[in-house]
Amino acid sequence: MSYNLLLTPQWQTNNALVGKAIGLAISITIVLLLSAFAIPVEKEEELVLRTEKLAFTPKEFYIADIIDERADKKAVAYLLPVGVVGSKSTPVDFAGGGLSAIQKFTRHSLAYNTALRPVVIRLKEFHVKEKAGAAGRVTGEVSVVMAFELQRDDEPVPLLQYKGGARYDRPAGKNEVTEPAIRKSLVEALRYFNTWMDREAATNEKLAQGIKVTFTDYIGSADQDTVFYTLRRPLNWRDFKAPPSKTSRFAATVFPSFAYAGESKVEDGIIHLNLTMKVYILKSSSWVKEDFKDAYGLNHEQRHFDIVKLVAERFKQKIKPEMLSVEDYNSIIQYQFIESYREMNRLQDQYDTETRHGLDKAAQERWNQQLDKELKSFDLK
C-alpha cells in the first residue's frame, strides 16, 4: 500500500533592497512506503514530531527563538478518526504542545552556532486539516506560514515570509502519513530559508555585518552657475553675477552652502557607503557693488566660503564606521548633517559679527590666520 504526499511550497519575500520579487512553486510527489519502521497512528490522541538529520547545515544563521503567533494554538491537526466512517475531525496536538515540539525539532535538527546571525521565526500558521475523500479515503492539507526576522539589539529586521504546505490522501482505516507530511513541510520551510540566506548574505543590506565609509569631493565645471570649492579655483569677482542690492548697506554678498549625496552597495556582507560632498556658491545669488571690487573685500567673501569647507570637513569626521549602525546609518548621517548645518550658520554669524562684515581689519586678520591654520590641518592650504 502506498500513500501520496504532495508538497506545494510557496513563499514571499519583503526584501525591497534586492529589487526583485521571489516567487516559486514546486510540486514534489513523495511516495511513503509502509515498512517495519512506520509508526501508525491508531488513536488520534497526539502526534510525535520526530527529529531528523537535515541534508543541509546553516552557514549564515541559527534559530535563536520561535514565537508562536498562531490564531489557533489548541492543536496542530484536525484529523478524522481512523476506521470511523462519517465522523467529524478531532483536534490533535504534538506531544508536549505544538510550539515545544517545533522548538525541539529545530534545536535538534539544525546546528545552533551562536557565532552566526540570530534569526527569529514567527509562527503564523501551522496545521493540517483532514476531510473525507472519494472511495472511502481521507484527504489532508498542511498549511505552513512563517515570518523570518533577523534579531537586532534595537528592533527585529524582517527578512521574508514563507508560505507552504502539502496535500495527501490516505485510506480511512490507517494513518501513517500525517506526521511525515507535517515534518516534510517544516523541513521545506527551513530549507528554503537556508537557501535564501546563502544567496543573500553577501549582498543584502539587511544582512550586512559592517560598514565602510569613503568621501568624494565634487568639483564641477567653472562655467556653470554653481562654483564648487577647490584649492585650485578660489573666488573671483566674476562669480558675483547677481545685480547689487540698492538698499543694502553691504558692499558684497555671497551665499555659500554644502550638501552631500550618498550611494551604497553591499559586498561580502559589508556596506560600502560613498558620500559625495558638495561645497558651493551660486553665482546668480552673489553680488558686489562696482566701487568695492578690491582684494581685501574679495578675501572677506572667500573666508565665508572657507568656513563652509571647514564645516564640511568636520562633518566628515563625525561619519565614522564606529559611529554608525548597519540598520540605521542613514538617519545618523542625516542628524549629523543637520547639526553641521547649524554649526555653519552659527560660525558665519560669528565671523561677520567679530569682523563687523570686514570693517574691523584686525579682527579680519585674526580670522584669516585661524581659518588658514585649520585649513592646513585638513591639507587644504
Side-chain angles (χ1 to χ4, degrees), residues 67-230:
I67 301 174
D68 193 352
E69 295 183 349
R70 293 175 297 159
D72 181 5
K73 298 181 177 66
K74 181 172 63 175
V76 296
Y78 289 84
L79 307 180
L80 294 179
V82 172
V84 182
V85 179
S87 62
K88 295 182 179 180
S89 61
T90 58
V92 180
D93 206 1
F94 284 136
L99 177 61
S100 176
I102 295 170
Q103 288 174 329
K104 180 180 177 182
F105 179 90
T106 56
R107 183 61 62 90
H108 286 81
S109 300
L110 286 177
Y112 189 81
N113 183 355
T114 56
L116 304 178
R117 297 173 180 85
V119 167
V120 173
I121 296 176
R122 292 187 180 273
L123 201 60
K124 305 288 188 179
E125 193 173 294
F126 196 92
H127 62 71
V128 56
K129 294 182 178 180
E130 288 188 340
K131 61 182 180 180
R137 298 183 68 82
V138 173
T139 62
E141 184 170 354
V142 183
S143 179
V144 177
V145 180
M146 295 179 176
F148 293 87
E149 298 176 345
L150 182 64
Q151 191 177 65
R152 294 281 197 195
D153 293 334
D154 297 333
E155 59 184 22
V157 179
L159 296 177
L160 65 87
Q161 180 164 290
Y162 173 92
K163 292 184 178 181
R167 295 190 300 272
Y168 65 82
D169 70 272
R170 64 173 178 84
K174 189 175 291 289
N175 185 355
E176 296 176 340
V177 72
T178 297
E179 186 276 337
I182 297 175
R183 179 160 35 91
K184 293 296 182 183
S185 298
L186 176 57
V187 170
E188 188 60 31
L190 297 172
R191 187 199 315 278
Y192 175 75
F193 181 67
N194 180 71
T195 301
W196 186 88
M197 286 289 290
D198 286 344
R199 184 179 65 246
E200 299 292 326
T203 58
N204 191 319
E205 188 165 301
K206 290 184 177 181
L207 300 173
Q209 295 180 302
I211 187 167
K212 181 179 180 180
V213 184
T214 58
F215 288 93
T216 303
D217 291 321
Y218 182 82
I219 301 174
S221 173
D223 60 357
Q224 298 174 349
D225 181 58
T226 306
V227 177
F228 294 96
Y229 192 101
T230 171

Side-chain angles (χ1 to χ4, degrees), residues 14-59:
N14 59 3
N15 179 13
L17 289 175
V18 178
K20 59 185 178 181
I22 303 174
L24 188 57
I26 299 176
S27 294
I28 306 171
T29 300
I30 301 176
V31 178
L32 303 176
L33 299 177
L34 292 175
S35 68
F37 302 100
I39 302 177
V41 180
E42 298 296 346
K43 295 182 179 180
E44 284 75 38
E45 296 178 351
E46 63 181 15
L47 293 168
V48 178
L49 182 61
R50 294 184 294 158
T51 59
E52 63 175 85
K53 183 175 177 59
L54 304 186
F56 57 91
T57 300
K59 299 177 181 178

